[in-house]
Amino acid sequence: MSDVEEIKAKIDLVDFIGKYVPLKKAGTNYKGLCPFHVEKSPSFMVSPDKQIWHCFGCSRGGDVLKFVMEKEGLSFPEALQLLADMTGTTLSKVATGGIDKRKNLLSINELAAKYYEKVLEASAEGRKAQDYLVDRGLKIETIKEFRIGCAPTNGRAVLEFLQKRGIGAPEMEAAGLVVMKGRYPKDKFFGRVMFPICDSQGRVVAFTGRVLDDKGIPKYLNSPETPIFKKGEILYGLHLAKESMQKLGYAVLVEGQMDVISSHQAGVKNVVAASGTATTEAQIQMLRRYADKLVLALDADNAGVEATKRIFEIASRFDMDIKVALLGDAKDPDSLIKAGGNWQEVLDKAVPMMEYYFSVAIDKFDTKELDGRKALTKELLAVIAEVNDPVEKDHYLKKLSSLVGVEVRALYDAVAKPLIKKPFAGDKKEDKGGDKVSPGWLEERIMALGLFRPELLELIVPKAKTLKWASGLANTIYEAVVSCYTSPDLFNLEQVMNKLPDYEKTAVLELLLVVEESYQDATTNELAHEVQLYLGMLLARSVASKRQELVLAIAEAEKANDRDRLNQLMNQLSELN
Ligand SMILES: [Zn+2]
């Protein structure tokens, strides 16, 4: 048995997924609300006998490994390792190859995090760091929850601590904890409050160190990028926020780590930060796994406004519903909370992006002055021009009109001319759900229907022989079927499954789950119709492409003045028609 099979055999998928999503029995399968897209009625299915899941809403699906990969944002080897740990399975060397090094770096960072925590808790220097944090309004529980620690001023503290545990300087350097000064290793972080940065699993992958007094330079020092820490792929606080994001259906993105920490302390837990970097597409994509609504609450300065616009564009590409929290006079969420503001209420009152543009422009320009009104009009018209929805556009033009005292008619004329032309979010949805009925899709459906109702194979097998397969998967199923198929009565699904290569089994089971759910009440006659329809569509496609090939070849032959070939091709073409 392979590692994967061994692990799968130890897990019951219904129980496993049931811990993430409430599941209800529906026929032979279980049904629930999809954890990967937001929906009101359940289209997420789990099959206990196939040990396969599939969502009919977002088309995600697979086995337990795929579920863990999607849910926790892990690579295949990481998901395998996680499940191996859970089930007490020892992985063979082949499977672990790439992750040993990562595991080692993770355990070094974990040791260091524990050490920094200990220093904060139980040393004179740590006391100073604690005082600083308490001064900034943090409670001891919060400090513990975020595992905040302290790096002593002695520049060899972590080095010596880790050395005693048998870790060499090169490994510490690889983990980003130690730097080489000439030939001598030295702590990277010293005399700093240490904030561990964790991955979505809560494993420490890096640190941010902040100076205690504001004299030190730089104020914030981050771990370098390592094999386990890619700045643009980590969201600070995600491991503590993901559950709440899923529950509430929206995520809050803030700028600083302190904003995340204060927010948690104030009981608002669905908050993360892209600390130390501009928010990347990868980070938004990660958030999208947990919620499809996003509230932006970046700092209320120019950089924050620019970042808000940029993230809006990125998140729109992922079809997220985006709002912006207006912080009033506070410069960031942390100071809003410290000043006693009602943070949850601020989030509840978050406004659509266009309202945010208005509020920023009103702050920026003096509408009492003509010049101010002109500048404000110009700036807002540029963004209103990009609104596609006519009702929405009308609404904002009226709003602008009353703000600057210019007739709506004149503003309409202004937006009729293209002020700026750039691709804008909102036009990018065309490929969503687009051409689902590709030849590959048709072939897979046909073969899956054959497995589901073997009577159909009499119809499918002879026709499928002539197919030029577009889907490797469908072709594999076909080969497996014909290798053991004699008649529908003697058809044995297990026999066919055994002929399939391991890596295709999951995909075939998922296909089966899909057709079973889609066609459970259909009669064999109705299904035969469906298969005929699909085969017809495939045939039409192949005729069309054959015709195109011939037309091209005819043109070639004409050019080359090749009479014989031309005649031959013309004959073939007339046979097609
Ligand atoms: Zn889904």
Side-chain angles (χ1 to χ4, degrees), residues 9 16 28 68 91 114 122 124 135 158 167 172 185 206 225 240 273 321 335 390 419 497 500-501 515 536:
F16 187 88
T28 49
V68 172
L91 294 179
K114 283 213 177 89
D135 245 21
V158 156
I167 294 159
M172 299 179 210
E225 296 218 332
L240 297 172
D321 173 7
S335 37
L419 279 171
M497 290 305 291
L500 294 168
V515 293

Side-chain angles (χ1 to χ4, degrees), residues 34-37 39 43-44 55-60:
C34 177
F36 305 113
H37 85 277
E39 59 177 8
S43 45
F44 179 83
C55 172
F56 286 82
C58 62
S59 302
R60 288 182 178 84

